[in-house]
Amino acid sequence: MKATAIAPANIAFIKYWGKSNNELRLPLNDSISMNLSGAYTTTTIEFSPTVSRDEVKLLDGEFSEKEIARVVAGLDRIRALAGVHLSARVVTQNSFPKGAGSAASASGFAALTMAGFAAIGKTLSEKELTVVARLGSGSACRSIPDGFVLWKSGDMSDHSYAYSLHPSSCWDIRDALVIVDSRMKKISTTDGMESVVTSPHLAKRLAALPQRVDRCIAALRDKNFSMLGSVVEEDCLDMHKVMQTQSPPCVYWNAATQKIMDAVISWRMSGLPVYFTIDAGPNVHVLYEAIHEKEMAKKLLTLTDVEKIIYNKATDGAKLVDQHLF
Ligand code: PMV
């Protein structure tokens, strides 16, 4: 059978950086995210006796050898769980540049997992799907449930899963993803996380995280935007402090990133409730509530050195659709 899934990228409000188990991709801490309506991956998969070895194709771009190997490893996990030994044809398409932070691997592995199990004819619960997606790319597990999502760190594979805290309709938060450089990042998240323990700041971050996670959950529950924005910005800066103090250092920001952070802070000083967050790349997510959409659109247009802005709302998680890519 052929199946197609669409999965959104997600932006982490509380970030995941560092693993307690590399092979199982168990994170050092719980993380929280929002699914992004304007940045998504569509993937069609067919397992078939007429295919002699896995064929993996990215429309509008090319996968590296390493990326293809990661997709094939994802297919192997699906085949092993279903007890099926057929090769697959996979065609996938992103709505946004592959190097926009770590977004493409999250939406990519969420779409691959959902389409893969449907195509192979094995039904998994949402929780189980998040566990399998996590093994492909950690943050992918957060792209499966709807809206605002928590990923529990867990001490073994089945305990490290994601679930929805609130549906996307519960709060109209906007995320303008300001792309300043759409090329692939220099250091992959997998490589960067390998040396997280070398940061002298890691212990302090891990000690602060449980309370920060609670503040983020409370802000989402109470729809308190200034509380949410403050905790999101605090955690972004804290994660980048860890990254930048690792050996070798992971410095993902560039001059354009810094300029946008400065602009967001100055807009806030002048009374607009707006905050930023940044993943493993130079591009900046600018967060605000829908009521400030008009003023924000004007402000965002004044930014320089920008390649593109992707406007997002909160959205549902991965879903199966009938329109196939082949
Ligand atoms: O799941 P990965 O390997 O793409 O890592 C994601 C890491 C960050 O984007 C920096 C943080 C996060 O929680 O999304």
Side-chain angles (χ1 to χ4, degrees), residues 12 15-17 102 105 137-139 142 189 193 239 243 279-280:
K15 311 285 191 193
Y16 143 60
W17 189 253
S102 56
S105 65
S137 168
S139 57
R142 296 190 311 235
T189 51
M193 285 189 209
M239 175 186 73
M243 290 168 156
D279 280 343

Side-chain angles (χ1 to χ4, degrees), residues 25 38 54 75 125 149-150 164 169 179 202 211 215 263 270:
R25 287 185 199 271
D54 293 328
L75 294 170
S125 67
V149 176
L150 188 142
S164 178
S169 57
I179 311 269
L202 179 66
Q211 203 246 25
R215 272 161 60 212
S270 67

Side-chain angles (χ1 to χ4, degrees), residues 179-198:
I179 311 269
V180 296
D181 187 345
S182 56
R183 287 171 300 181
M184 285 303 285
K185 51 190 171 271
K186 287 188 217 93
I187 313 161
S188 74
T189 51
T190 305
D191 291 347
M193 285 189 209
E194 296 260 299
S195 42
V196 69
V197 289
T198 59

Side-chain angles (χ1 to χ4, degrees), residues 36-39 174-178 286 288 293 296-301 308-313:
L36 301 175
S37 61
R174 302 297 169 92
D175 174 314
L177 168 52
V178 184
V286 179
Y288 49 93
E293 191 184 7
M296 280 308 303
K298 273 193 226 146
K299 295 274 188 214
L300 289 162
L301 285 178
K308 185 178 176 178
I309 301 182
I310 300 175
Y311 290 92
N312 300 284
K313 300 178 182 190

Side-chain angles (χ1 to χ4, degrees), residues 40-153:
Y40 50 88
T41 301
T42 307
T43 299
T44 300
I45 305 186
E46 182 172 39
F47 290 93
S48 164
T50 65
V51 183
S52 56
R53 68 195 278 263
D54 293 328
E55 293 168 16
V56 180
K57 192 167 149 194
L58 174 68
L59 300 177
D60 310 322
E62 243 175 80
F63 277 134
S64 65
E65 295 275 310
K66 216 170 150 185
E67 286 167 329
I68 291 178
R70 249 175 109 176
V71 171
V72 170
L75 294 170
D76 285 342
R77 279 189 288 273
I78 294 167
R79 282 187 280 254
L81 279 162
V84 172
H85 301 288
L86 297 173
S87 293
R89 192 171 286 130
V90 180
V91 176
T92 189
Q93 185 170 36
N94 293 318
S95 74
F96 58 99
K98 199 150 65 89
S102 56
S105 65
S107 53
F109 276 99
L112 180 89
T113 306
M114 182 159 275
F117 281 107
I120 218 162
K122 184 163 173 73
T123 308
L124 256 57
S125 67
E126 177 183 278
K127 181 176 165 182
E128 289 167 328
L129 285 171
T130 72
V131 168
V132 181
R134 188 203 78 230
L135 293 164
S137 168
S139 57
C141 68
R142 296 190 311 235
S143 287
I144 290 186
D146 287 345
F148 300 88
V149 176
L150 188 142
W151 170 17
K152 278 185 74 64
S153 49

